[in-house]
Structures are given as structure tokens and as C-alpha cells.
Amino acid sequence: MAIRTIKKDVYNVGAIDWDRELFDELIPLPEGTSYNSFVVVGSEKTALIDTVDPEKKEEFFRNLDELDLERIDYIVSNHAEQDHSGLIGEVLEIYPEARIVTNEKCKGFLIDLLLLEEKSFDVVDEGDTLSLGDKTLEFIFAPWVHWPETMFTYLREDKILFSGDFLGSHLALSNTFSNDDAQTYLAAKRYYAEIMMPFRTLIKKHLKRLEDYEIDMVCSVHGPVYKDPAFIINHYKDWVCDKVANKVLIPYVSMHGSTLKVVEYLTDELTNRGIEVLPINMTSADLGKLAVELVDAATIVLAGSTVLMGPHPKMLYTAAMINALRPKTKHISIITSFGWASQSTKTLKSLLATTQAQWLETIDYKGYPKPEVLEKVKALADNILEKHKELNLF
Ligand code: FEO
């Protein structure tokens, strides 16, 4: 992908990964991704803000060559993860006079991860500025989006926020700017759910902090540039706030139909009570589908078969991911079917140890669900209805 001009003397020399299917060998990328790397040319100095994944080395250096910079004075590293930092060492080989500008914690990570030399760094503190002549970079510390060392860089004169991973989207697009709100919304929400959601409380603080800044553009390292920052910032405010939707998410796995019968019954009972329900078959659904629905579901009911006394492995994965993603869900329950005996509910509960959601009654049953099991499911639906009323979701 060629160089993209963001504004006069501000360029994206990053790369697009049209074919990448998985991030961290975990997160599915249905629409590929991009690694944005920005060049800011001041009247006296030039800064490169983040690099790209080493897989895209050729494209990145071709763009830098095309830009034909006389020099790079600073390599600003907002985040040490290798998809943005991985080529810092190679940039230094070409521009040996460049200084790596980052915070103390990020410096430590870069030394550990990339074996960079301590002498190459200029360490900045919260609120520090760096003059490029007629342009000024300001550093805003924003830890835990999504690593502990993350920071933003604000280009004062152009009112551009270089936000690192924050506010990004895994979206491979040739467009420089976001111009399809629906597509960007879905990709950004999925990205938030998979990567940022565990840090919701801190993100609230960062968003509050950004209210002090006039921002005309947001340049994340993944996805298109936002010319209308309010679009993404307001959606983030909605996602991180404590408000939940009148929705029940039912991730399930059914081996022989016993669990599916209960899932269908519960879906009907909740629907009849005016509650939105989303059953997700975890046999085939990917993490993103689950994560994006976790963003605002008021209640989760895990429903699964038993394999060799324990939960179906897909349900083990589901419970572990829900625990890791820390959604703002208010209530949670488990339904387990088994053939002869089961430790499934106990095991799943232990995997959900850090959930802040309130536990509702759980249901375990042997074989195909009998009328008394369905009565319990009906009672669970009644309880969920009451809980949602208490949350003022009607
Ligand atoms: Fe896009 Fe945290 O790396």
C-alpha cells in the first residue's frame, strides 16, 4: 500500500495485511488488518510514530523510501507490542542518528522484546513535549490500552491524536479515512470487545482525560483514520459505561440435542417476556462473535453438554474467555446436561472466578430435559425478567 497523506506533512507509511486471519494466534480477523505508521515532518525535525509488523517490512520500507526523508530524528513508540515496534531496530540501522522516544516502562519492554540498546532511548514523562520546529508532540500516558506501557502522542498544531491501538479497528482498507460508518462501527466494536474491554474502567478515565484536548483527527495504528473523532469516542463512551442492554446471551454447545432443547426453550421463554436473546453455538462461532455480544448483554447463560464428567472443551474455552474479557454483564447462570454424572457447573464456575456478575440459580439435568427441568428453565426466565426490571431495562 502506498503512502497516504493525512494532512500537510503528516503521512501514513504503514502497511495493510489483507490476508491475516488471526492475531495473537487467537483473535480472528475476518477483514484482515492494517499496521499504521505515521511520519510527522516539522520545520526542523522529523518523527516516525510507531512502525509495522515485521511481516510487512518490505512494504513499510518501500513507503519510507518513497517519502524520501533526509532524516528521521525521532522514533516515537506509543506501544511496545511487536506489530508496532518490531521494525524499530531496522529503522535505526538506516537512520542511526534517530532517538527512540518513549516512556520508561515502554523502554524496558522494547529492550526485553527487541534487544534494543539502552543508549538509543530518550525517555519522556507524562505531559512532556517534543518540538519538531513548527510542530509539537505532546505525550499523554494512557496505561492499559491494552498493555501497561501504552501512551498517546498528540500533535498540537494539527490537533491529531496518535492513539496507538486505542480506538482502532482490524480492518484492511485502501481508504485513508473512515468513510463507511456501519463497517467501521462493527469492526471497531469487535476490536474493542476483543482487546480493550478488560480495561473498561481505565478507558473511562482516559476518555475523560481526552476531553481536555481539541482533537480534529484520531490516528490509531489499526484501521482507518477518523476525521470525525466524535464518532469513535462517543461509541467508546457508550461501550465502557455501566449501562447494559435488555439482552441475554446464551453461548452453548449441544452434543446430542439435550442442551439445544433447553436453549430453544429458554430462548422462547425470554422472548415471550420481552427480552432480546442471542443463542451462540460455540461449536462454530468465533471469539469475535461472542466478544462483541458481551459488550452490553445484561445476562449470560452458559449452556453445555458434559464430556467425561467435565464441560465440553468449547465451553471451557468460552468460560475462560468470558472471564478474561471481563464484560459489564450483571447476571450469570449455567445450564448443564449430562449422561451419568457431571462436574461441569463447578468447573465452569471456577473458570469464571473474577466475574463481577451476580450468580443466578444454575440448572443441571440428566439426559433429555423432562418437564420438571423445563419448569426450572421457566423459573430462571422469570428470575431474569425480574432482574432486568430491577435494572430498569424495560
Ligand atoms: Fe496492535 Fe497491542 O498491538
Side-chain angles (χ1 to χ4, degrees), residues 23 79 81 83-84 146-147 165 191 221-222:
F23 198 85
H79 175 32
E81 194 165 8
D83 53 326
H84 312 298
H146 59 130
W147 280 19
D165 277 337
Y191 177 98
V221 284
H222 296 291

Side-chain angles (χ1 to χ4, degrees), residues 173-191:
L173 278 184
S174 61
N175 302 341
T176 306
F177 301 103
S178 159
N179 59 8
D180 178 340
D181 284 359
Q183 184 188 32
T184 311
Y185 169 81
L186 287 174
K189 187 174 184 183
R190 187 178 167 114
Y191 177 98

Side-chain angles (χ1 to χ4, degrees), residues 159-273:
K159 302 185 177 65
I160 297 177
L161 181 75
F162 298 97
S163 60
D165 277 337
F166 190 54
L167 307 174
S169 56
H170 284 309
L171 205 49
L173 278 184
S174 61
N175 302 341
T176 306
F177 301 103
S178 159
N179 59 8
D180 178 340
D181 284 359
Q183 184 188 32
T184 311
Y185 169 81
L186 287 174
K189 187 174 184 183
R190 187 178 167 114
Y191 177 98
Y192 162 80
E194 293 165 333
I195 298 164
M196 299 293 165
M197 190 158 64
F199 311 103
R200 189 173 66 89
T201 310
L202 278 164
I203 289 175
K204 267 191 216 178
K205 289 183 187 157
H206 299 326
L207 289 170
K208 187 86 196 138
R209 177 90 196 292
L210 289 178
E211 288 175 4
D212 297 339
Y213 291 82
E214 246 185 281
I215 301 171
D216 283 350
M217 279 191 213
V218 170
C219 296
S220 168
V221 284
H222 296 291
V225 171
Y226 301 98
K227 269 190 184 170
D228 172 19
F231 167 82
I232 188 65
I233 287 173
N234 287 338
H235 281 310
Y236 260 69
K237 283 182 179 172
D238 186 39
W239 298 333
V240 301
C241 80
D242 293 334
K243 201 171 64 171
V244 287
N246 184 19
K247 179 161 76 177
V248 176
L249 187 61
I250 312 178
Y252 74 94
V253 171
S254 183
M255 291 164 64
H256 296 289
S258 296
T259 302
L260 182 60
K261 168 74 181 169
V262 163
V263 168
E264 288 174 346
Y265 189 79
L266 180 60
T267 300
D268 287 350
E269 290 296 316
L270 291 168
T271 304
N272 289 340
R273 286 162 179 74

